[in-house]
């Protein structure tokens, strides 16, 4: 079992057929995940293709995560919480400036993704919309969005199976609103 400390991130490889378990150890903590084809980094996770092919904006167990080249990257085998977001981009330094008028340095998923993915020759501009595990984004019938506290409780997890060799970036999200005001770690395990 690996620990991602609060407001930080990791990057690692996962082989086709291996499984990844992402766990919220304390509850109410979001984890942003991005995927790249380990053999060709220009192929990466696509929110648009996933919502198109899965015919849903709510992605959970039984759904797949698809690439910009319309290939399956992962399948979600289990999801004990059942609420994730695939609409919003990773929080970035600008998120805190534009949305909260916060001018000082603030840790962000974007920075934690690109600094950790640099060792795999992935650049900041390569980061796609992340699959936001445990993130509770609600929307009304007019399309108005709100970021609500996660519904995840301590021990909730998602289990993914890789459908190709992957490079993965994974965070413990740094945004106050996404995590009900407090920052917690994320745990993960690689199985098989
Ligand atoms: Zn974040």
């Amino acid at each position: 079992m690996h620990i991602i400390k609060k407001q930080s991130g990791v990057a690692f490889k996962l082989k086709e057929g291996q499984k990844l378990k992402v766990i919220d150890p304390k509850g109410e903590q979001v984890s942003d995940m991005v995927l790249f084809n380990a053999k060709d980094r220009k192929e990466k996770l696509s929110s648009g293709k996933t919502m198109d092919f899965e015919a849903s904006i709510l992605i959970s167990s039984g759904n797949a995560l698809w690439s910009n080249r319309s290939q399956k990257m992962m399948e979600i085998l289990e999801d004990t919480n059942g609420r994730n977001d695939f609409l919003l981009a990773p929080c970035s330094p600008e998120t805190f400036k534009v949305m909260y008028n916060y001018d000082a340095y603030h840790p962000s998923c974007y920075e934690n993704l690109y600094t950790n993915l640099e060792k795999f020759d992935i650049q900041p501009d390569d980061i796609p919309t992340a699959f936001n595990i445990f993130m509770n984004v609600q929307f009304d019938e007019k399309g108005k969005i709100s970021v609500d506290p996660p519904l995840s409780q301590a021990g909730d997890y998602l289990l993914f199976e890789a459908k190709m060799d992957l490079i993965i970036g994974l965070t413990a999200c740094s945004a106050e609103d996404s995590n009900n005001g407090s920052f917690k770690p994320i745990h993960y395990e690689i199985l098989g």
Side-chain angles (χ1 to χ4, degrees):
M1 204 265 297
H2 304 272
I3 296 172
I4 306 173
K5 291 182 184 149
K6 67 175 182 178
Q7 293 188 297
S8 73
V10 294
F12 55 92
K13 287 188 168 182
L14 191 71
K15 285 205 168 304
E16 181 179 352
Q18 283 188 310
K19 293 176 183 133
L20 172 68
K21 188 174 182 181
V22 179
I23 305 147
D24 182 352
K26 298 193 168 173
E28 295 192 329
Q29 177 60 44
V30 168
S31 174
D32 282 21
M33 181 172 75
V34 293
L35 308 173
F36 298 84
N37 179 343
K39 292 173 181 159
D40 182 348
R41 292 157 183 70
K42 287 184 180 170
E43 181 167 23
K44 59 190 176 184
L45 183 63
S46 169
S47 169
K49 285 293 174 195
T50 299
M51 293 194 282
D52 191 356
F53 294 157
E54 299 299 316
S56 179
I57 55 176
L58 295 175
I59 303 300
S60 180
S61 52
N63 293 126
L65 300 175
W66 295 78
S67 77
N68 58 329
R69 294 181 184 162
S70 302
Q71 302 298 309
K72 268 188 195 179
M73 303 190 89
M74 278 181 155
E75 283 179 354
I76 305 174
L77 303 180
E78 295 178 48
D79 180 356
T80 63
N81 174 51
R83 187 79 190 199
N84 310 289
D85 171 69
F86 213 174
L87 295 171
L88 303 189
C91 61
S92 65
E94 295 76 16
T95 306
F96 304 101
K97 282 194 179 73
V98 173
M99 299 192 72
Y100 307 109
N101 251 335
Y102 187 83
D103 273 329
Y105 174 77
H106 195 299
S108 67
C109 287
Y110 181 64
E111 181 184 18
N112 287 327
L113 288 168
Y114 77 70
T115 53
N116 282 285
L117 286 162
E118 198 174 21
K119 61 176 175 278
F120 295 117
D121 203 24
I122 290 165
Q123 310 302 319
D125 283 343
D126 298 330
I127 304 293
T129 296
F131 183 58
N132 302 309
I133 301 164
F134 307 122
M135 191 174 188
N136 182 17
V137 175
Q138 299 287 338
F139 32 87
D140 69 18
E141 56 189 22
K142 290 183 178 170
K144 175 82 177 159
I145 284 173
S146 63
V147 177
D148 291 354
L151 302 169
S152 49
Q153 298 180 347
D156 271 331
Y157 68 87
L158 274 75
L159 182 65
F160 303 90
E161 182 176 334
K163 306 308 283 185
M164 63 172 68
D165 290 351
L166 295 169
I167 294 165
I168 299 178
L170 194 65
T171 71
C173 179
S174 299
E176 282 81 355
D177 274 12
S178 305
N179 303 291
N180 203 16
S182 69
F183 305 116
K184 288 81 66 186
I186 285 288
H187 293 175
Y188 70 99
E189 290 177 46
I190 294 171
L191 308 162

